[in-house]
Amino acid sequence: MLLALFDRVVEEARSNCGDALQRLAEDEEQGWRDAISPFCSTFSSHRAITSAAAATQYTSAAVRDLWSQVMEQFVVEVTEAIESERRRGAAPDGIPARDLATVLNSMVERSLISTFSGQTPAVPEEHLLDTLVSVFLGAIYGRAQG
């Protein structure tokens, strides 16, 4: 049951994300904001499911496998976006794009879980999206906003 619910939450967030990563050339900050925001809002709306899935991944191989598949999809998408931004000259070369994407996605995952499950330390919900976007811009482009 938890697997099906968590899968629905992830699909809801993904569908709300749309083609944000394909629009980075139009406005980098807005593109990343549009890519990250659906996960913040969807996981916020489904806190109990997200928290349960996060906790259960350590004791259930099925949940862990689904969680790993979801994270791998995100890492692949962000890797492709970083490589695209580097090819167009918007982002400097640096550490391997997949390594950067892995760390950024792990940061998002942990930040969402901490904030929405009431753990501490955690970024206050009203600052979460801006903080994540700023870190993405700093890590990928060498600059931060706000």
Side-chain angles (χ1 to χ4, degrees):
M1 175 83 113
L2 179 60
L3 283 173
L5 291 172
F6 182 61
D7 195 41
R8 286 185 195 168
V9 169
V10 170
E11 282 309 309
E12 179 182 328
R14 291 177 71 75
S15 68
N16 291 334
C17 186
D19 67 345
L21 295 179
Q22 284 72 48
R23 294 183 281 111
L24 291 172
E26 297 168 19
D27 184 333
E28 296 146 4
E29 181 179 356
Q30 191 61 50
W32 287 109
R33 182 173 298 282
D34 291 347
I36 299 168
S37 177
F39 293 93
C40 291
S41 61
T42 303
F43 283 35
S44 174
S45 296
H46 301 288
R47 292 169 196 254
I49 295 168
T50 302
S51 295
T56 306
Q57 71 174 317
Y58 300 107
T59 58
S60 167
V63 174
R64 185 172 43 256
D65 289 346
L66 176 60
W67 196 277
S68 294
Q69 290 170 12
V70 167
M71 290 301 291
E72 179 62 26
Q73 290 172 345
F74 297 153
V75 167
V76 167
E77 292 170 5
V78 172
T79 298
E80 291 171 355
I82 292 168
E83 289 171 344
S84 177
E85 290 298 272
R86 288 176 175 177
R87 279 191 304 274
R88 77 177 185 93
D93 286 332
I95 63 174
R98 182 172 170 87
D99 294 350
L100 181 55
T102 300
V103 169
L104 289 171
N105 277 284
S106 294
M107 175 202 59
V108 169
E109 172 195 33
R110 187 68 201 136
S111 296
L112 293 175
I113 291 167
S114 296
T115 296
F116 298 137
S117 68
Q119 297 174 6
T120 57
V123 176
E125 188 170 350
E126 63 272 15
H127 299 156
L128 184 58
L129 179 59
D130 289 339
T131 301
L132 293 172
V133 171
S134 183
V135 171
F136 267 68
L137 294 173
I140 295 168
Y141 303 97
R143 67 178 193 280
Q145 300 293 317

